[in-house]
Amino acid sequence: MLIHCPFCGARPSEEFAVLGDAGPKRPEAPGDDTGSDPEAWYDYVYLRDNPRGVHREFWQHVGGCRAWLVVERDTATHEVRSVELARKATAGREAS
Amino acid sequence: MRYGWHSIVRQALGGLSAVAPAWRNPEPKPAYDAVIVGGGGHGLATAYYLAKEHGLANVAVLEKGYLGSGNIGRNTTIVRSNYLLDGNVQFYEKSMQLWEGLEQDFNFNAMVSQRGVLNLYHSDAQRDAYARRGTAMRLHGIDAELLNRDQVRALVPFLDFHNARFPIHGGLLQRRGGTVRHDAVAWGYARGADSRGVDIIQNCEITGISIEQGRVTGVETSRGRIACGKLGLATAGNSSRTAAMAGLKLPIESHVLQAFVSEAIKPYIDQVVTYGAGHFYVSQSDKGGLVFGGDIDGYNSYAQRGNLPIVEHVVEAGVAMMPGVSRLRLLRSWGGIMDMSMDGSPIIDKTAVEGLYLNCGWCYGGFKATPASGWCFAHTIARDEPHALNAKFRLDRFRSGRVIDERGGGARPNVH
Ligand SMILES: Cc1cc2nc3c(=O)[nH]c(=O)nc-3n(C[C@H](O)[C@H](O)[C@H](O)COP(=O)(O)OP(=O)(O)OC[C@H]3O[C@@H](n4cnc5c(N)ncnc54)[C@H](O)[C@@H]3O)c2cc1C
Ligand SMILES: [Zn+2]
């Protein structure tokens, strides 16, 4: 698998560390609306869609520029569809 | 037909016409009392014990490919019961005991070989952890021996004991552990289930689950609709997808694990040996090939094949442990899809949908579990409640915080 780092270009996957699914959204801190809902935490910590097909996931270019990335990859073929900086990809998530 | 010396003689004299297929290849019936999805080890064992222990024979096993095409035919065949945590200890020991009697029980040669499983340790801390684990095992009546370096050397003299970075100080040995011929396990259970009336239906993929008023009523399949009163999912690797057909979201991710076999050499490694400094485990097959594996690739995958970085990583660990194999050639490598659960332990349970049962989350250790998994799942389905042996493998343990995390890795499926 090659991953196109926005800073370093196409690099082999072994230069990267994978964190996993970029989908789950962390509930707010306890006390806030969603933060005190145990179901929201259960969902965030444990439950995954685990699709066969396109999957958005966090990777870090640890053997390069160390940027955190969101990689869109097909779990059935390992094809990498797109790569964005995690900062950009997750910006505005709170607002949504 | 009962297999034994008399059947060998009869078949030898009778020629090919005396050789009967080991199981039928029936058309699906419109309805069954119970349907098991997944013709891997766990699904077939479940059907076998449903028929044998619970007298339920109007049962079908639906397999989307051919029998044994999944992980049951792809694993590195290691069996052991060297667990630490409550729940796991008892369950895996039950499995070990079932392995010990399995071939007589289902009248099939599964080549159960209790050649011993030796886990190496490389530091004082690791020795202490193994001492603790071995003690926990012995408190449960399971065999475990903590060996020092000389004792290990007597068993496996060719290891790199003085490796500069990871010297070998000793190991934890479970002599009752070993290997079992994986395909034969699938075939033996299939034959045993079939001869008790279970229909094994291959090339039959389920594509939907019908639920009416909170109750399972049947499945949609590539070979038409099949009605059933009870439905057990044993679809390792694809559990999230089959459970989603019933609206369930699971604490599971699918990951690829690779395995390897080398060219055949003379008898070299008598036991299963695992390297404690990297993830590496090896045994030698009766044909002479070294069969080995290591870590999962680490990213979500349904591809049944991995990538080269892990090949290099596994081979490096192997050569660090036993430098003598460095010039061996690899014959083959392959991959299988693991249900990696959020705590590294499995789920055998009922669900909120009446008549729907789950068997999943086996990670890369589910082969050794095959007999006990089938045995417990059959009990859970037949009695509509878990057996004491799988009572801790509940789906709601994640919600309630009662996780069983042997590795202490937390909710990261790719580190278990
Ligand atoms: C490389 C590798 C090495 C391993 N090494 C070991 C080891 O040394 N020791 C150990 O204990 N464990 C090991 N394992 C793990 C072990 O193989 C699995 O945990 C275990 O086999 C899973 O249970 P199973 O046999 O029922 O799975 P499978 O054989 O995968 O059965 C599941 C079946 O479900 C079918 N299926 C899926 N979706 C559908 C559908 N929609 N409709 C119909 N059928 C469907 C699949 O086709 C498959 O045949 C290893 C696994 C791999 C891949
Ligand atoms: Zn980079």
Side-chain angles (χ1 to χ4, degrees):
Chain A
M1 280 192 308
L2 286 178
I3 295 176
H4 289 252
C5 173
F7 294 117
C8 314
R11 306 297 307 168
S13 64
E14 61 263 44
E15 285 187 7
F16 299 78
V18 58
L19 178 66
D21 195 340
K25 283 185 202 140
R26 196 173 200 278
E28 295 300 318
D32 294 333
D33 281 357
T34 58
S36 39
D37 176 8
E39 281 303 301
W41 282 98
Y42 168 58
D43 194 279
Y44 168 71
V45 175
Y46 292 116
L47 300 186
R48 297 294 178 264
D49 289 329
N50 192 21
R52 184 180 197 278
V54 177
H55 191 228
R56 285 166 62 79
E57 46 202 33
F58 287 120
W59 290 71
Q60 189 188 14
H61 195 187
V62 289
C65 64
R66 302 198 65 81
W68 275 100
L69 309 170
V70 171
V71 175
E72 205 175 69
R73 209 176 46 89
D74 190 318
T75 59
T77 62
H78 295 168
E79 179 200 356
V80 175
R81 300 277 184 90
S82 70
V83 183
E84 288 179 278
L85 286 180
R87 212 182 320 123
K88 268 197 207 144
T90 55
R93 252 192 6 181
E94 279 81 326
S96 67
Chain B
M1 184 204 297
R2 232 192 123 65
Y3 290 164
W5 64 266
H6 44 278
S7 68
I8 295 179
V9 171
R10 199 163 355 123
Q11 295 191 357
L13 296 179
L16 269 185
S17 59
V19 180
W23 54 84
R24 299 163 296 135
N25 200 7
E27 285 299 310
K29 290 193 270 185
Y32 291 92
D33 294 339
V35 162
I36 307 298
V37 186
H42 294 218
L44 294 165
T46 305
Y48 174 79
Y49 292 115
L50 273 176
K52 178 164 181 275
E53 305 288 337
H54 304 280
L56 228 73
N58 185 20
V59 174
V61 177
L62 310 182
E63 164 54 47
K64 76 173 170 187
Y66 61 89
L67 199 147
S69 54
N71 300 307
I72 188 68
R74 293 166 187 262
N75 61 69
T76 42
T77 77
I78 301 168
V79 303
R80 54 187 172 86
S81 58
N82 56 359
Y83 281 76
L84 174 71
L85 297 182
D86 204 31
N88 279 341
V89 181
Q90 299 87 343
F91 174 83
Y92 286 102
E93 176 55 17
K94 168 73 177 178
S95 214
M96 184 55 81
Q97 290 171 9
L98 287 170
W99 284 123
E100 288 174 329
L102 186 65
E103 295 169 301
Q104 300 307 318
D105 186 62
F106 68 16
N107 181 231
F108 201 85
N109 180 7
M111 295 164 69
V112 175
S113 163
Q114 293 182 291
R115 57 183 69 185
V117 171
L118 175 66
N119 305 125
L120 302 174
Y121 60 80
H122 308 266
S123 65
D124 291 352
Q126 211 170 18
R127 181 202 55 213
D128 292 351
Y130 280 167
R132 177 173 176 235
R133 190 202 290 217
T135 306
M137 289 163 65
R138 290 168 72 141
L139 285 172
H140 284 92
I142 303 168
D143 70 306
E145 291 163 55
L146 194 67
L147 307 184
N148 63 27
R149 180 184 290 165
D150 290 338
Q151 290 168 311
V152 170
R153 204 194 289 276
L155 291 175
V156 212
F158 47 79
L159 301 179
D160 188 6
F161 288 90
H162 297 288
N163 183 298
R165 178 65 184 84
F166 299 112
I168 294 165
H169 291 326
L172 182 67
L173 176 65
Q174 184 184 23
R175 290 191 197 267
R176 286 163 65 240
T179 59
V180 182
R181 170 76 197 279
H182 51 6
D183 319 280
V185 174
W187 300 333
Y189 276 125
R191 175 171 167 269
D194 174 88
S195 69
R196 286 173 173 81
V198 172
D199 282 357
I200 295 166
I201 299 162
Q202 304 178 59
N203 300 309
C204 182
E205 175 170 6
I206 72 150
T207 52
I209 296 176
S210 346
I211 298 169
E212 282 162 35
Q213 291 164 344
R215 203 168 202 310
V216 161
T217 55
V219 283
E220 302 300 328
T221 82
S222 53
R223 295 175 69 172
R225 188 187 146 77
I226 300 173
C228 62
K230 295 185 171 190
L231 180 65
L233 302 178
T235 51
N238 283 284
S239 300
S240 299
R241 300 178 66 219
T242 51
M245 296 173 194
L248 300 177
K249 191 170 162 188
L250 299 181
I252 282 178
E253 285 184 358
S254 297
H255 285 258
V256 57
L257 176 67
Q258 305 191 60
F260 310 85
V261 65
S262 78
E263 60 188 326
I265 54 174
K266 287 184 179 176
Y268 182 55
I269 304 179
D270 300 332
Q271 309 75 3
V272 176
V273 183
T274 79
Y275 193 43
H279 205 177
F280 178 80
Y281 35 90
V282 61
S283 67
Q284 187 166 15
S285 80
D286 290 0
K287 277 191 284 188
L290 302 190
V291 180
F292 58 92
D295 275 323
I296 56 175
D297 273 41
Y299 43 81
N300 290 44
S301 174
Y302 283 92
Q304 287 189 312
R305 63 185 150 74
N307 278 294
L308 290 171
I310 281 288
V311 179
E312 189 175 8
H313 179 78
V314 171
V315 169
E316 273 172 2
V319 171
M321 185 176 102
M322 33 181 208
V325 302
S326 66
R327 292 169 69 184
L328 269 189
R329 283 166 295 188
L330 286 185
L331 277 192
R332 278 179 288 129
S333 73
W334 62 92
I337 300 306
M338 313 284 84
D339 267 0
M340 297 303 295
S341 71
M342 284 287 175
D343 62 356
S345 295
I347 296 159
I348 307 179
D349 203 359
K350 336 195 310 181
T351 65
V353 180
E354 223 182 303
L356 179 67
Y357 304 86
L358 269 186
N359 177 316
C360 57
W362 291 100
C363 302
Y364 46 79
F367 175 64
K368 69 174 98 69
T370 307
S373 167
W375 196 89
C376 289
F377 199 36
H379 180 105
T380 307
I381 293 172
R383 308 279 180 88
D384 196 36
E385 63 180 9
H387 187 271
L389 284 167
N390 63 307
K392 292 206 157 62
F393 296 159
R394 306 301 296 262
L395 179 57
D396 72 359
R397 70 175 183 268
F398 299 94
R399 186 182 261 119
S400 62
R402 290 187 172 79
V403 293
I404 310 173
D405 188 343
E406 289 272 339
R407 181 120 174 209
R412 286 275 310 277
N414 59 359
V415 304
H416 286 293

